[in-house]
Amino acid sequence: MRTLDELPWTDAFVSALPGARGGGVHSRQVPGAAWAEVAPSPVPAPRLLAWSDEAAALIGLARRPGDDDALAAVLGGNRVVPGMRPYALGYGGHQFGTWAGQLGDGRAIALGEVAGPDGPWEVQLKGAGPTPYSRRADGRAVLRSSIREFLCSEAMHHLGVPTTRALALVGTGADVVRDMFYDGRPRAEPGAIVTRLAPTFVRFGNFQLHAWRDEHALLRALADHVIARHFPELGPPGPATYAAWFAEVARRTAVMVAHWMRVGFVHGVMNTDNMSILGLTIDYGPYGWLDPFDVDFTPNTTDHASGRYRYGNQPGVAQWNLAQLARALTPLVDDAAALAAGLEVFRRTFARSYRTQMLEKVGLTWAGVDDDEGDDVLLRELLELFALEETDFAIGFRALAEVPLADAATATDVALVAPLAPAFYRDPAPATVERWAAWLRRYAARAAREPGGLAARAARMARVNPVIVLRNYVVQRAIEAAEGGDLAPVHRLLAAARRPYDADPAYADLVARRPEWARRAPGCSALSCSS
Ligand code: AMP
Ligand code: MG
């Protein structure tokens, strides 16, 4: 374990690809460059507020007693360690379906790369000040959104969902002014910086930007670098490798979105600039979790009207985003059929992963054949039941494991459905109970045919149905405490998120249904991009 100064910093990305050196931080178009050189802007009083030991281990970084101020100086952007070559990435993107031109890291600055025991990690500060890509914004992030990103990155990792990681949360000691609801009432909020880790932060939008500018040599160089470094198994560059790479990106994206559906996560802003080329969940902004199951749920206020990024639309949007990536790659592949095959990989992989994971949630194994009509119907009807009356997604699946299926034939409807009570937001109507009971009896018959029978079911389900999901209202309470200077609730949430599948009585208060006050409360169900 080493200090930040002792880590083996490298600059693989900036040394492999053309970038813009110098030029300062003023907002501008940066043509012909994959990145722009830019140092973090200093902050008045950096303070380490939270830390992830697991993320630190990825890069072999130590946090010893007395280290916090030195860590905060670097991770707050006040000191650049020798060996770091800070830069911002250039990318473009489709925002809400519309091409937006150059976007880029407007407030994220990569410090450099560190070779960890399991491969390279890019270390990036989010909220570290303006860059050439900041457009008209300030390059900063508020504490509330930084806490949300810090906690959710780590929570997703422990849930088994592919994600970027969060190493540290640093308070800047400076206020940031935000109009949280775009209602003309800006207020000053504490600023913060999240240190993020990922093998690379390259997005679909990086390729789109160079394709849009007809920078084909740069497009190719970026693809070659990303493939060589992050997909070495695909072999040397060439049209066949690019096509295979696109198919692999499609596959990983499908797996990621299937996990989102499993855990009830809604990203909220699936613009193409927020789609990782590694298939990692990236850029936690106005994300949310299903409380009551609702395919139309979107936590993003900007998206309430269109619902483009609602829970049930995430697979379709991921595929649309992949189609935009395919278009950007045509100068490299020039074989529409090969790229179409990649999109087909998305469809197939998503269908398979989704079905497998959703069946696992009810303790069933997918037989692996496409015409497994019976199980598909069972699943569809289950989700229809969840939607019939407000039924909590996370609590509901955990509660299903408690239903005494062995007694299904003889138990009354009420007795059979009783274990689901904690999941219902109101007492269900008698007709609803009757429908649930009928479904549970069919489910019991199917579950009895599983290898291991009914006995193995509950343990299997417990491995894929989280107890702890960091619901917005839960995190919002921790945010309010942190804004008042008390970080203990944030630390407690991180601890709880480390073991999301354990029913630990110590965290019973975190697993309740969303309370009524949080239904429409700011930060709980309505979140804006402005963070
Ligand atoms: P997002 O939708 O949050 O992923 O952001 C879209 C684009 O806006 C990205 O290029 C961000 O870097 C940029 N951006 C968002 N917030 C800020 C900010 N406060 N300062 C500078 N750029 C920002
Ligand atoms: Mg983004």
Side-chain angles (χ1 to χ4, degrees):
M1 297 292 266
R2 308 184 219 201
T3 65
L4 278 170
D5 279 77
E6 292 163 352
L7 287 179
W9 294 98
T10 61
D11 56 3
F13 191 82
V14 295
S15 56
L17 294 162
R21 286 169 211 280
V25 299
H26 69 278
S27 290
R28 59 188 187 274
Q29 292 293 309
V30 191
W35 51 272
E37 184 176 48
V38 58
S41 301
V43 299
R47 195 158 75 83
L48 191 60
L49 303 179
W51 179 263
S52 165
D53 286 324
E54 290 93 349
L58 295 171
I59 54 172
L61 176 61
R63 177 194 182 190
R64 293 173 304 217
D67 276 356
D68 285 11
D69 288 348
L71 287 166
V74 176
L75 304 180
N78 283 7
R79 187 177 153 255
V80 173
V81 166
M84 291 177 174
R85 284 180 65 193
Y87 69 94
L89 274 178
Y91 51 82
H94 281 88
Q95 296 183 311
F96 294 90
T98 303
W99 176 247
Q102 175 185 292
L103 296 168
D105 285 338
R107 55 174 168 172
I109 297 177
L111 298 176
E113 209 180 274
V114 176
D118 303 318
W121 292 91
E122 197 83 46
V123 180
Q124 190 201 62
L125 306 184
K126 181 168 175 179
T131 79
Y133 304 106
S134 296
R135 296 176 290 160
R136 277 186 298 280
D138 58 6
R140 294 298 183 188
V142 293
L143 179 62
R144 94 183 117 81
S145 70
S146 303
I147 289 174
R148 286 170 49 81
E149 173 141 24
F150 175 81
L151 287 175
C152 198
S153 305
E154 293 305 282
M156 291 287 264
H157 165 70
H158 294 291
L159 283 165
V161 184
T163 180
T164 62
R165 302 295 299 274
L167 168 68
L169 174 70
V170 170
T172 60
D175 282 349
V176 176
V177 175
R178 285 289 183 271
D179 184 357
M180 184 173 168
F181 290 108
Y182 306 120
D183 62 358
R185 287 185 298 172
R187 67 177 179 115
E189 301 184 48
I193 295 174
V194 176
T195 307
R196 309 198 292 189
L197 304 180
T200 176
F201 288 93
V202 168
R203 300 120 193 277
F204 292 9
N206 294 71
F207 301 93
Q208 289 185 284
L209 177 66
H210 301 312
W212 174 59
R213 286 188 171 141
D214 286 327
E215 295 168 344
H216 292 180
L218 186 43
L219 176 69
R220 184 179 303 271
L222 180 63
D224 290 350
H225 176 75
V226 166
I227 293 170
R229 213 155 165 77
H230 304 289
F231 300 81
E233 66 283 3
L234 297 178
T241 300
Y242 299 136
W245 168 58
F246 176 66
E248 174 60 11
V249 174
R251 189 192 66 77
R252 293 189 190 191
T253 303
V255 169
M256 170 188 78
V257 176
H259 277 290
W260 291 358
M261 304 305 276
R262 167 177 68 89
V263 298
F265 176 79
V266 189
H267 182 284
V269 207
M270 290 177 70
N271 293 333
T272 55
D273 52 303
N274 291 337
M275 298 293 292
S276 148
I277 202 68
L278 301 182
L280 305 174
T281 313
I282 193 171
D283 279 9
Y284 293 90
Y287 67 83
W289 300 86
L290 291 180
D291 295 298
F293 175 75
D294 175 7
V295 290
D296 292 331
F297 172 66
T298 173
N300 184 351
T301 48
T302 316
D303 195 32
H304 277 173
S306 73
R308 181 180 177 86
Y309 299 142
R310 64 190 187 272
Y311 172 78
N313 219 28
Q314 297 187 116
V317 168
Q319 189 177 322
W320 189 88
N321 289 343
L322 281 160
Q324 306 315 310
L325 176 62
R327 266 186 30 189
L329 298 181
T330 45
L332 305 184
V333 179
D334 197 24
D335 175 355
L339 292 170
L343 289 174
E344 190 50 35
V345 167
F346 174 85
R347 272 190 291 275
R348 270 205 319 274
T349 309
F350 179 77
R352 195 174 333 112
S353 306
Y354 177 77
R355 189 190 260 150
T356 306
Q357 295 199 43
M358 294 305 284
L359 282 173
E360 280 173 0
K361 283 176 78 68
V362 287
L364 302 180
T365 324
W366 180 42
V369 282
D370 272 341
D371 60 357
D372 206 5
E373 279 296 320
D375 285 354
D376 282 350
V377 172
L378 203 64
L379 265 187
R380 196 178 59 238
E381 289 178 354
L382 174 62
L383 294 180
E384 280 166 16
L385 282 170
F386 264 86
L388 195 58
E389 293 192 41
E390 286 193 336
T391 309
D392 195 88
F393 186 70
I395 297 173
F397 277 96
R398 289 295 291 207
L400 264 181
E402 311 288 322
V403 173
L405 292 188
D407 309 334
T410 51
T412 63
D413 288 0
V414 169
L416 204 53
V417 177
L420 300 181
F424 294 128
Y425 278 73
R426 264 184 301 275
D427 285 342
T432 303
V433 173
E434 205 176 299
R435 278 182 63 178
W436 267 104
W439 183 88
L440 287 168
R441 292 197 175 91
R442 269 178 290 133
Y443 168 47
R446 168 65 181 85
R449 295 202 307 273
E450 274 291 308
L454 292 177
R457 185 180 69 101
R460 266 208 305 264
M461 290 172 70
R463 287 198 290 271
V464 292
N465 290 313
V467 182
I468 305 272
V469 288
L470 296 184
R471 296 170 194 260
N472 286 341
Y473 86 88
V474 169
V475 176
Q476 183 60 24
R477 284 197 300 224
I479 288 171
E480 283 161 20
E483 287 176 343
D486 178 10
L487 269 304
V490 168
H491 300 156
R492 181 168 179 260
L493 287 188
L494 179 62
R498 285 196 173 108
R499 291 185 293 113
Y501 299 101
D502 290 359
D504 184 341
Y507 298 125
D509 58 309
L510 304 179
V511 304
R513 288 188 306 266
R514 179 192 62 202
E516 202 46 40
W517 61 261
R519 184 179 286 269
R520 280 180 243 294
C524 296
S525 63
L527 291 136
S528 70
C529 287
S530 135
S531 51

